[in-house]
Amino acid sequence: MSVTEMFSSIQGFLSADQDVREDIRKVVQTLEQTGREILTVLQSVHQPSGFKEIPSKCARARELFCTVRTQLGELKTKFPVEQYYRFHEHWRFVLQRLAFLAAFVVYLETETLVVRVEVAQILGIEVVREKGFHLDVEDYLAGVLIMASELSRLAVNSVTAGDYTRPLRISNFINELDSGFRLLNLKNDPLRKRYDGLKYDVKKIEEVVYDLSIRGLAKDQ
Amino acid sequence: MNRREGEGCPRRNADAAQDGDGNSSSPVIAAFKVFQQELDTKHDKHERLVKISRDVTIESKRSIFLLHRVTSVPNADDILKEAEVKLDSVRQKIGQIAEELRGEDIFQFHRAFTPGIQEYVEAVSFLHYIRNRSLISLEEINARLVFMTGEKDLAEAPQTGGQVLTFQVTPSDYLLGVADLTGELMRMCISSVGNGDIDTPFQLSQFLRQIHDGFSYIGNTGPYEVSKKLHTLRQSLGKVEDACYALRVRGSEIPKHMLADVFSSRTTLLDPEEGVV
């Protein structure tokens, strides 16, 4: 095989590769759009009026997750399933956001940590790699960490809205999460960097709880 | 106040102790135990692959150094044989990589072993060039990376569907390896001039030009590193072309035994600082 032939065959491979990436990018863009819509719906819980409407907001978000499922279904058709990690970077960010949104909805509904299987169900994807398009454990954990900082914000705003018991519940939840994360041996990677931010969320919520307790507000209800 | 603190502390300790041993009371902790295992397994595999990749890199570099001696000895066959033996041992190591990657998504761990693979491509294509004066193809490289697994796996072989294990070099690793090869060819060109070999530089410059054209054809469709290496490739090509130019112009005037002097001074002038990538 001559040098020219060799290079043109590789060029063929590379442009095919680029086409696949282009397709993936298009679908990922629509996914990001839906993700932003869900976020907007959920953001309203920070409003004083929003606290009463949590169930209806969650129901609305769950409706939007249907769109996510179809869009993720479309993404699955864009590349061979065994090459998930080859294109992983393209959807890593959006999948983390979606995991966060799913975890946030579940927290608002039940005040528990969503399990990975449930996130995967909400998104309509698999948990283990062997079965197809799946939720990588690191992406799931990153999503949970995003939720932690959202909850620290929620604790502050719930006090403003006059809900003094929520911060205590959030505090318990975050502490449990923190001890969970402390079990992990994280490498010096993006997940570790994000985990390093968790202690500030914990601190923030503890301050809120402190403020409430010294004023005797926490025991009101 | 004091009593409060006294109360607080044991509770905390109790919590910590609970966290320490596998308490099943908290589903969160139980879930994180599973994540811990999963992440640790993954990191361990990654570390093992990095280690093997480093070994592959070192051994491949040694074979390249060995192959550079070809220009200065009268019979090259021994060196080529020795290099082949070395590369066989490198292939054994790549077999270990393939073993680690069995059933995994190779792109998940690609970053762990790509430096080693690129170096191997460089070494094996250098050897191929010295032998055949042509560019080894990706298929030829992959064809040699087929491994038979050991006897211990024979028992489970029926499940896996055979004892053959293959390793596929990705086209971009191949490209990057070939880009590194051009640096070696440039060195080979300069040193062969030093030994009074007049034909090799011209062959090399032609070959390098073909590779350069190929890379220009790919341009920026390739991965980011390729465009970086293209710059180095241009410099190497420039050096080789200059060498050929000097040979043509002055080769007829200067007695052969003095050519080496001409070049050693020329090359130091050309690249004062940079080594071969």
Side-chain angles (χ1 to χ4, degrees), chain A residues 102-122:
Chain A
F104 195 38
V105 168
V106 171
Y107 179 79
L108 290 173
E109 285 169 351
T110 62
E111 306 216 339
T112 53
L113 176 68
V114 68
V115 287
R116 196 164 145 213
V117 185
E118 204 176 343
V119 180
Q121 265 168 11
I122 293 174

Side-chain angles (χ1 to χ4, degrees), chain A residues 3 6-7 10-11 13 18 82 84-86 116 129 137-138 140 176 179-181 183-185 187, chain B residues 19 26 32 35-36 38 40 42-43 46 103-105 107-108 137-138 171 174 210 214-215 217 221:
Chain A
V3 176
M6 194 62 227
F7 274 96
I10 287 188
Q11 154 69 24
F13 168 84
Q18 272 199 331
E82 71 280 2
Y84 180 91
Y85 283 99
R86 183 154 153 211
R116 196 164 145 213
R129 189 178 65 83
V137 66
E138 296 192 26
Y140 163 76
E176 200 173 14
S179 45
F181 270 99
L183 287 177
L184 305 179
N185 310 308
K187 279 206 309 182
Chain B
D19 292 348
S26 159
F32 273 88
F35 299 149
Q36 179 194 43
E38 202 175 328
D40 283 351
K42 200 174 118 185
H43 293 163
H46 191 271
E104 300 281 350
D105 184 337
F107 290 99
Q108 186 173 12
S137 72
L138 181 56
Y174 171 76
Q210 283 176 353
F215 272 98
Y217 177 59
T221 40

Side-chain angles (χ1 to χ4, degrees), chain B residues 113-165:
Chain B
F113 58 84
T114 174
I117 297 302
Q118 285 176 28
E119 205 67 32
Y120 169 72
V121 170
E122 183 180 346
V124 88
S125 57
F126 193 33
L127 177 62
H128 185 91
Y129 179 78
I130 292 172
R131 277 225 177 106
N132 308 317
R133 304 279 147 172
S134 65
L135 181 65
I136 193 168
S137 72
L138 181 56
E139 286 77 19
E140 282 170 273
I141 291 180
N142 281 336
R144 303 207 61 179
L145 296 176
V146 176
F147 308 96
M148 294 298 180
T149 49
E151 302 95 283
K152 65 177 185 339
D153 291 342
L154 276 175
E156 54 173 320
Q159 297 166 352
T160 50
Q163 314 98 294
V164 183
L165 205 58

